[in-house]
Amino acid sequence: MIFETLSVKHLAMLLQFESENKAWFESMLPPREDYFYRDLGIKMHIYDAIINMQLGTHYSGVLIVNEQIVARANLKDITGQTNTAAVGYRVAKNSIGKGYASFCLNELISIAAQHYAVNQLEALVLDNNPASKAVLLKCGFKAQSHKDNYMTINGLTLGVTHFSRAPI
């Protein structure tokens, strides 16, 4: 098991991960555009991530097990003025329950503190994702607020819970 910074070398593995888990992810999150699930779409996604990492506003990593991506995790909206960032992660459907989300989140916590001087992390979790809420709580996040009627996915209107973790 290895957690690596996303790069162009992950193109084929990332396309496979995203394509195989498209229906799973879209059952809980808004869908990505169709072009995303093509070589050029994934390549553009990776290059955008690399540019944002070079700008210091984003970090994107992948968790690889047996030469396959089983999870990915991101720091977004890294803000030096407030020393904050938002976390996000996705785990393959056939890899849930194996501790990969917790592992990725702990990696993000370490990267945020060591490489970006972030001292507070934020996360938003939709009501249809109790597993993600459990991972955040396990990793020291605390629920801060809840907003009803945040978005509609697959005809279901969902609320969202805002979590934060400080200091890291």
Side-chain angles (χ1 to χ4, degrees):
M1 177 165 62
I2 185 166
F3 189 80
E4 294 182 335
T5 299
L6 181 65
S7 72
V8 177
K9 76 177 185 178
H10 298 115
L11 190 138
M13 285 191 292
L14 185 61
L15 180 57
Q16 180 179 355
F17 170 81
E18 293 288 351
S19 297
E20 288 177 358
N21 292 284
K22 182 179 188 287
W24 165 245
F25 295 147
E26 288 180 2
S27 73
M28 294 179 290
L29 298 166
R32 296 184 188 267
E33 298 293 331
D34 287 339
Y35 72 84
F36 178 82
Y37 298 97
R38 298 186 192 115
D39 280 346
L40 182 58
I42 288 288
K43 189 180 287 186
M44 288 172 45
H45 176 76
I46 291 171
Y47 282 126
D48 284 346
I50 290 169
I51 290 167
N52 287 324
M53 285 188 279
Q54 289 174 343
L55 292 172
T57 61
H58 182 91
Y59 173 82
S60 188
V62 291
L63 181 62
I64 299 171
V65 176
N66 297 326
E67 298 182 31
Q68 291 188 344
I69 295 174
V70 297
R72 57 183 305 191
N74 304 294
L75 293 169
K76 303 179 291 187
D77 304 323
I78 300 170
T79 307
Q81 293 175 337
T82 59
N83 295 79
T84 62
V87 298
Y89 44 89
R90 294 177 177 220
V91 178
K93 185 175 184 180
N94 66 357
S95 296
I96 59 173
K98 297 180 180 179
Y100 295 152
S102 296
F103 181 85
C104 287
L105 187 51
N106 283 318
E107 288 292 310
L108 290 180
I109 291 166
S110 177
I111 290 166
Q114 293 177 13
H115 299 285
Y116 296 98
V118 168
N119 59 24
Q120 181 161 317
L121 293 172
E122 310 286 333
L124 295 177
V125 181
L126 295 171
D127 289 345
N128 64 346
N129 196 346
S132 191
K133 289 179 183 180
V135 169
L136 288 165
L137 292 170
K138 177 181 173 183
C139 293
F141 284 73
K142 293 186 179 9
Q144 300 299 319
S145 62
H146 184 271
K147 180 179 179 183
D148 292 326
N149 305 317
Y150 182 73
M151 73 171 44
T152 301
I153 298 176
N154 302 319
L156 182 63
T157 300
L158 300 166
V160 66
T161 303
H162 169 241
F163 288 85
S164 68
R165 184 183 193 279
I168 56 173

